[in-house]
Amino acid sequence: PDGGNPNEASAAKPSEPAPPTTSPAPTIETMQTYLVMILDGVQTNRIMNQEEQRKFEDATLKFLKGLELLDVNEVDLNDVKIWYQKLFETEVEKPDVNDDILQNSGDGTANANATAMEETNRQLQEIVPNSDSTLELQSTIKHFSLEVTIIVSVLYTPLPQPITQDLLNTLLN
């Protein structure tokens, strides 16, 4: 050695191994797609409660994961969550049931029903003499539909987002 700086000599020594480093946890970005479903003819006039929502989400995810078409297209679903619900009520006209009752069905049942309705109307007039009330069969029925917007989280798919969304929408509707 040429008598240089002693610090340079120590720099030439092999250094101790660096402490192990931890790599950051891998991040998985899920694709989220929003789908609107119309559940027609629901029996209640309310939206789903939390328990019903959970069951609906589980059933929808199970249904989708069981579809072969998603497997073939390598679509791996992560989760389904309800984002929004809205109840629609419409009145649907029944066929003209009053005319059906007055027609003879051949077994006398229709005439018996019409006679019973007339008797009930007569008794109603006796109880409430000045009433315009009469018994009539309803000509409309209430019909409920539930619009449910769900968020489907897709863990992996080689398909572009619009195609994945169309695929899921087609499968659910």
Side-chain angles (χ1 to χ4, degrees):
D2 59 316
N5 188 342
N7 289 334
E8 288 179 23
S10 64
K13 290 185 195 175
S15 62
E16 295 182 23
T21 59
T22 58
S23 60
T27 58
I28 299 174
E29 299 233 0
T30 58
M31 174 194 307
Q32 292 187 335
T33 186
Y34 293 78
L35 302 173
V36 177
M37 301 170 63
I38 304 291
L39 306 176
D40 196 30
V42 294
Q43 299 298 313
T44 59
N45 60 349
R46 62 177 176 78
I47 61 174
M48 289 183 268
N49 62 34
Q50 285 185 338
E51 180 65 21
E52 291 166 331
Q53 286 182 37
R54 186 186 59 75
K55 288 180 180 182
F56 179 84
E57 292 164 350
D58 292 346
T60 304
L61 183 62
K62 185 177 180 179
F63 169 76
L64 288 171
K65 283 190 169 189
L67 296 174
E68 185 178 342
L69 192 56
L70 293 180
D71 284 340
V72 168
N73 287 292
E74 299 178 17
V75 178
D76 186 13
L77 301 180
N78 184 42
D79 200 12
V80 171
K81 291 290 180 201
I82 292 178
W83 183 64
Y84 177 78
Q85 299 180 70
K86 183 174 182 179
L87 187 69
F88 293 97
E89 177 183 338
T90 55
E91 290 202 2
V92 179
E93 297 246 351
K94 284 184 180 180
D96 195 359
V97 290
N98 290 327
D99 288 344
D100 291 343
I101 286 179
L102 297 176
Q103 292 176 359
N104 191 350
S105 62
D107 64 359
T109 307
N111 285 337
N113 288 339
T115 303
M117 189 174 1
E118 288 172 5
E119 177 61 22
T120 304
N121 284 335
R122 187 187 60 73
Q123 290 174 0
L124 181 61
Q125 288 300 319
E126 288 175 7
I127 296 170
V128 186
N130 294 329
S131 172
D132 291 335
S133 299
T134 57
L135 181 65
E136 293 182 18
L137 296 177
Q138 283 184 310
S139 61
T140 61
I141 56 171
K142 290 185 179 185
H143 182 82
F144 296 102
S145 298
L146 183 63
E147 176 185 288
V148 181
T149 303
I150 60 173
I151 302 172
V152 179
S153 298
V154 180
L155 196 56
Y156 172 79
T157 180
L159 306 172
Q161 198 270 343
I163 293 175
T164 302
Q165 183 170 351
D166 286 346
L167 176 65
L168 290 168
N169 196 34
T170 300
L171 292 171
L172 285 175
N173 293 317

